[in-house]
Amino acid sequence: MLQTVGGWLWWERLWLPGNVSWSDLEDSEGRVYAKACQLYAALPCALCLLLVRFLFERYLATPVANVWGIRDRVRLTAEQNPILENYFCRQARVPSQADVRSLCKKTSWPERRVQVWFRRRRNQERPGLRKRFCEASWRCVFYLFAFVGGVLALYDKPWLYNLKEVWEGFPKQSMLPSQYWYYLLEMGFYLSLLLSLSFDVKRKDFKEQVIHHIATLTLLSFSWISNYIRIGTIVMAVHDSADILLEGAKVFNYAKWHKTANAIFVVFTVLFMLTRLVIFPFWLIHCTWVYPPEKFPPFFGYYFFNVMLLLLQILHLYWAALISRMFYKCIFSKLEGDDRSDEEEDDSDSPKERNHKLSHMNGSGARGRANGH
């Protein structure tokens, strides 16, 4: 049965054009081809990157946070209450008004005290500012090094300047050492992000991030086995270019350098829209969709690769909407953080009470001005 499954999985028509077989991609005459077994190296690479990240955040990012005065907000701890804790863990983090009244009866607490307990309990699980700063710093540094590595691997290649060269001689294209290390580094990084999901900052687009990481790893793995390496390296470099600025803007925003953060974010927005909404669909997807049939008949891998690219493009459109909203805030108001992040709540007053206080203060101020104070 395993042999049957293995034979179907590695059926040549799934991965290669009709006139090519696996025997054609065996190393010979100084030509080296990518092999599926080499993908196992991504796991130890991911574990090494997790170790490097731990050392980076502990011995570089944390001291920088201390120098810049980045401190976590002092949080009040929720009181011990088994009834509320059980509801919080098993039913909902934000109770409805009817549930609040029911919990008031069970605990003999007033309504306001129950609401404050839930706000404090939610705040306890939200990551602090220093953790966000360290995480953004690590990603910024990685994307910078990855992008530089991608530029070094691509700058002298003819297919960077003429995308038709991507398919010249496909799939019998010898793999270069720079391509091997670039792929290994990128796959190890995205695999490390999946392994660290449980302790990373959890944002509102958590599900989209998981889909993105899985789609990216699937694309990289498939492109490796099918020898779509030339277009794969270009796709990676295009994505890394904007990610550097996004994480950099977060770093300066957490450090309260708002003008610098806003300036970087404006440049990031322009670059994101250019790379993800123009270059990626109209150059790269066009390259993978239009040019291959000129060289060989379409096969399953051709359709599969393009569908995965389209899935990434849908995610780009989703993030473009979020970024546009943040860009609007950046230009016309003040960008305080990442719209994908859950903001810390005021754990002392309910929204109704805060609005009442605000209107009272505004009313007092108006009366004071009217009285000449």
Side-chain angles (χ1 to χ4, degrees), residues 34-260:
K35 302 172 183 62
C37 61
Q38 294 171 323
L39 294 176
Y40 291 119
L43 180 58
C45 180
L47 297 176
C48 288
L49 285 174
L50 287 174
L51 176 60
V52 173
R53 173 182 173 178
F54 171 77
L55 296 175
F56 173 87
E57 292 184 357
R58 184 181 182 90
Y59 296 107
L60 286 178
T62 299
V64 171
N66 292 333
V67 172
W68 285 356
I70 300 174
R71 299 284 184 270
D72 289 334
R73 180 177 177 179
V74 178
R75 295 170 176 170
L76 298 176
T77 305
E79 303 173 61
Q80 293 293 328
N81 190 302
I83 296 175
L84 299 183
E85 184 68 26
N86 181 66
Y87 180 94
F88 182 88
C89 296
R90 298 188 178 183
Q91 296 189 47
R93 294 164 57 92
V94 182
S96 64
Q97 191 62 33
D99 287 340
V100 169
R101 295 193 189 99
S102 175
L103 291 169
C104 288
K105 295 177 181 178
K106 293 179 181 179
T107 59
S108 301
W109 282 12
E111 185 175 316
R112 180 178 177 278
R113 188 177 178 185
V114 172
Q115 292 172 337
V116 169
W117 187 94
F118 274 96
R119 284 196 292 275
R120 291 180 179 177
R121 184 65 180 83
R122 288 193 294 270
N123 283 338
Q124 285 178 208
E125 295 195 349
R126 291 194 171 101
L129 191 63
R130 288 167 68 89
K131 179 175 176 58
R132 296 182 185 186
F133 173 83
C134 291
E135 182 179 311
S137 300
W138 161 247
R139 295 193 183 199
C140 181
V141 169
F142 175 83
Y143 286 130
L144 177 60
F145 277 95
F147 179 69
V148 171
V151 171
L152 293 176
L154 285 167
Y155 80 97
D156 59 344
K157 305 301 186 295
W159 51 85
L160 177 63
Y161 309 99
N162 181 8
L163 290 178
K164 287 191 175 183
E165 290 287 334
V166 165
W167 308 108
E168 191 63 38
F170 176 85
K172 300 176 184 180
Q173 298 170 339
S174 184
M175 179 185 64
L176 305 175
S178 58
Q179 295 172 331
Y180 172 83
W181 290 109
Y182 189 30
Y183 255 78
L184 183 62
L185 186 66
E186 290 278 353
M187 291 194 68
F189 176 70
Y190 284 104
L191 183 56
S192 73
L193 292 183
L194 284 179
L195 296 176
S196 64
L197 281 174
S198 59
F199 58 85
D200 277 349
V201 174
K202 194 170 183 179
R203 306 185 187 278
K204 295 176 183 177
D205 63 345
F206 174 79
K207 293 181 181 179
E208 289 79 8
Q209 286 284 351
V210 173
I211 293 173
H212 174 268
H213 298 339
I214 293 176
T216 300
L217 286 170
T218 302
L219 267 173
L220 292 177
S221 300
F222 176 83
S223 63
W224 181 265
I225 296 172
S226 296
N227 217 17
Y228 276 58
I229 294 178
R230 290 183 179 180
I231 189 64
T233 53
I234 298 175
V235 170
M236 289 188 292
V238 165
H239 281 70
D240 288 341
S241 61
D243 289 335
I244 302 169
L245 297 176
L246 174 62
E247 301 301 333
K250 291 181 186 178
V251 168
F252 286 107
N253 190 57
Y254 297 146
K256 307 300 182 186
W257 293 22
H258 294 301
K259 291 183 178 180
T260 303

Side-chain angles (χ1 to χ4, degrees), residues 253-254 326 334-339 343:
N253 190 57
Y254 297 146
M326 295 172 66
K334 184 179 180 181
L335 182 63
E336 292 291 352
D338 189 345
D339 269 8
E343 296 300 326

Side-chain angles (χ1 to χ4, degrees), residues 314-350:
I314 292 172
L315 291 173
H316 294 164
L317 294 172
Y318 169 79
W319 281 315
L322 290 180
I323 290 167
S324 298
R325 185 169 62 182
M326 295 172 66
F327 181 77
Y328 179 86
K329 291 181 180 179
C330 177
I331 297 298
F332 297 102
S333 58
K334 184 179 180 181
L335 182 63
E336 292 291 352
D338 189 345
D339 269 8
R340 301 176 303 152
S341 302
D342 292 327
E343 296 300 326
E344 197 159 315
E345 301 170 275
D346 188 332
D347 57 6
S348 58
D349 296 325
S350 67

